[in-house]
Amino acid sequence: MNKHVRKHKPARRSPFLLTAIFVLPLSLIAAFSLSPDVGELTEKAALLSAMVNMPEGSIALLESRFADKIDESYYREGENQVASYVEPFDDDEGADSQAPSEESAPTSSAPESMDGPAKTTDPSPARDNSHQISEEYRGTILQENMSGSGTNLIAYGEGLLRNYTELPADEIESIMEQGMNIHLEDTPEPQVLIFHTHATESYEPYDSENYDMRNTWRSTDNTNNMIVVGDALEQALKDAGIGVIHDRTQHDYPSYNGAYERSAETIKSYLEKYPTIKVALDVHRDAIQREEDLIVKPTIEVDGKKAAQLMIITGSDDGTMNVPKWRENLRFAASLQDAIEQDTPQLTRPIFFCYRKYNMDLTTGSLLLEFGSNANTLDESVYTAQLVGKSLARLLNENRETQQDVEK
């Protein structure tokens, strides 16, 4: 077991709030000098604030956009705010309603079996730059291996955790070192639930160096959004003999607000119907924007094929969130990441450990999984889901509850 800790002072909320207080007004002033359009001004101010606070991840973008509107209740229950990269749907879905192109269509084949860890490398250059975008709408995609990026990093096994709480590193370590907490039963009943609070999140259509800045990366077409990623994860678990339910409800459509409240009701209904469920996985994708016209694509190559990097999110409780068993979720997160990294080194980004709830109060095996970012392609994220599903299945099957355990 790797016990090395990168000693950094745990992140606190106060710097974020101070930054929001001072940077946001300055950002607004700067934006007003650049454009007369009020909507555009708001977007530019939010983006500048997000870049300064924490230029990585949709969580940072969300908080930065609404920094001047957030009160203390946000940190307890406020996970239903509109993410900054989301725009309202039009009545006519347009291009979002079309079937995915051949370049972006996911493959259905499972990853090849491997005797040892998969061979991984940093991503090769973009492979499709034939689709031209008008210069005024052209943004840049930056491919990046983010497996060891960030500060406040704590090691466990083959994985890393990024600490955004005030908990000391040694306390987090002691929790993770307790090991796997989920033990499947010998039953054909479902024990894993896959669902999507933000099902309509989608990806870039091509593995390109550029993107169209008008893209909202949302689609109600279930062959072109997070449902497909969930399908791949579901199939990998079923192939390993694990009972799984994949709920395909679009909790974020037609309204993004309230999505977490709606997905909570879905989880509760399944737990009531199937008390055998031990694991609840909320499948998303991230959004990483570092400049107004630059988005980041967390990517590696696995056996010569590009894969979107996964980020696991698990929450703590600062006494305001009513998640008394968050330590159990943390143990599961650490065990899962270790298993994935054993099989496919560098497939994961550090675990995002933060003061968030995300319905993690409903089971002791609740995690939020971010498959790539909006800059990845659907095909890349489906490949990752296949790899992650294989590692998750191995972990769960290795920790099945035996009859002897039941008798004890």
Side-chain angles (χ1 to χ4, degrees):
M1 184 178 297
N2 188 342
K3 296 186 179 181
H4 295 294
V5 179
R6 294 167 175 83
K7 297 295 185 179
H8 294 276
K9 187 177 180 180
R12 299 175 183 271
R13 292 178 186 162
S14 53
F16 166 81
L17 294 176
L18 290 173
T19 304
I21 291 170
F22 290 106
V23 172
L24 191 57
L26 292 176
S27 302
L28 286 169
I29 293 171
F32 267 103
S33 66
L34 297 174
S35 170
D37 182 77
V38 175
E40 186 178 348
L41 300 178
T42 304
E43 293 298 323
K44 289 183 176 180
L47 179 57
L48 289 170
S49 179
M51 288 161 52
V52 172
N53 281 301
M54 189 177 67
E56 178 182 340
S58 56
I59 297 173
L61 292 175
L62 182 154
E63 292 183 333
S64 300
R65 182 183 177 105
F66 292 96
D68 61 335
K69 301 180 180 66
I70 295 174
D71 58 23
E72 283 301 313
S73 64
Y74 167 78
Y75 292 101
R76 295 190 297 272
E77 303 291 343
E79 291 147 354
N80 63 344
Q81 303 287 341
V82 180
S84 60
Y85 54 86
V86 171
E87 296 179 7
F89 278 104
D90 296 325
D91 292 336
D92 181 7
E93 288 293 325
D96 275 349
S97 298
Q98 300 174 6
S101 64
E102 290 183 8
E103 291 88 348
S104 63
T107 58
S108 58
S109 59
E112 296 179 2
S113 60
M114 298 165 288
D115 295 331
K119 296 179 181 179
T120 61
T121 62
D122 288 341
S124 60
R127 296 168 183 172
D128 185 344
N129 289 301
S130 61
H131 298 83
Q132 296 301 312
I133 303 168
S134 174
E135 186 173 356
E136 62 180 317
Y137 300 118
R138 189 185 307 154
T140 301
I141 294 175
L142 174 64
Q143 292 191 118
E144 187 171 312
N145 181 340
M146 302 180 71
S147 60
S149 65
T151 57
N152 309 318
L153 295 175
I154 303 171
Y156 171 76
E158 299 299 321
L160 290 170
L161 177 144
R162 188 172 43 166
N163 184 17
Y164 275 109
T165 74
E166 298 181 3
L167 292 170
D170 57 355
E171 181 176 347
I172 296 171
E173 271 195 303
S174 67
I175 296 170
M176 295 192 295
E177 288 173 357
Q178 294 177 42
M180 181 63 169
N181 62 310
I182 304 297
H183 302 283
L184 296 190
E185 301 173 21
D186 184 15
T187 175
E189 292 296 305
Q191 299 188 73
V192 177
L193 170 64
I194 300 169
F195 65 99
H196 310 270
T197 297
H198 298 154
T200 68
E201 292 174 332
S202 62
Y203 296 90
E204 273 294 297
Y206 313 108
D207 177 22
S208 174
E209 295 176 351
N210 301 110
Y211 72 99
D212 191 327
M213 295 171 66
R214 295 166 294 183
N215 194 350
T216 62
W217 299 285
R218 291 185 72 189
S219 176
T220 56
D221 179 357
N222 282 351
T223 66
N224 201 30
N225 59 25
M226 299 313 301
I227 301 300
V228 186
V229 181
D231 286 341
L233 188 61
E234 173 192 18
Q235 190 60 53
L237 294 173
K238 284 185 173 180
D239 289 346
I242 296 172
V244 57
I245 289 176
H246 180 198
D247 181 85
R248 296 170 174 81
T249 303
Q250 294 181 359
H251 296 101
D252 57 338
Y253 182 79
S255 173
Y256 199 91
N257 284 338
Y260 277 96
E261 287 83 349
R262 288 188 289 275
S263 63
E265 293 308 310
T266 294
I267 300 167
K268 291 174 184 176
S269 67
Y270 281 115
L271 292 176
E272 182 176 356
K273 186 175 182 180
Y274 301 106
T276 50
I277 290 176
K278 298 176 181 291
V279 174
L281 303 175
D282 194 354
V283 173
H284 295 245
R285 62 115 177 98
D286 202 356
I288 311 172
Q289 186 158 6
R290 292 195 180 147
E291 297 175 15
E292 185 176 4
D293 59 352
L294 186 149
I295 56 178
V296 180
K297 175 177 178 172
T299 311
I300 61 168
E301 290 204 12
V302 181
D303 292 333
K305 183 177 178 180
K306 287 189 178 181
Q309 288 181 300
L310 174 79
M311 182 170 71
I312 301 171
I313 298 179
T314 187
S316 181
D317 191 340
D318 60 358
T320 67
M321 299 182 193
N322 193 28
V323 189
K325 296 184 178 180
W326 60 265
R327 294 170 183 82
E328 297 298 308
N329 291 325
L330 174 57
R331 290 171 59 187
F332 180 39
S335 298
L336 174 57
Q337 186 184 45
D338 183 32
I340 296 169
E341 287 294 315
Q342 288 176 23
D343 295 338
T344 314
Q346 300 185 29
L347 186 60
T348 66
R349 297 156 59 188
I351 293 171
F352 193 104
F353 182 58
C354 55
Y355 289 121
R356 295 295 179 274
K357 188 170 182 177
Y358 296 130
N359 293 328
M360 293 177 185
D361 57 322
L362 300 179
T363 79
T364 55
S366 293
L367 298 176
L368 193 152
L369 305 181
E370 302 263 19
F371 286 86
S373 79
N374 53 331
N376 287 98
T377 66
L378 180 61
D379 190 52
E380 292 161 355
S381 293
V382 166
Y383 183 40
T384 298
Q386 294 170 345
L387 294 167
V388 168
K390 182 178 178 180
S391 297
L392 173 59
R394 176 177 67 80
L395 176 69
L396 292 174
N397 279 327
E398 287 177 352
N399 286 273
R400 280 188 177 272
E401 189 176 53
T402 66
Q403 185 61 38
Q404 185 178 5
D405 294 327
V406 174
E407 292 174 355
K408 288 181 180 180

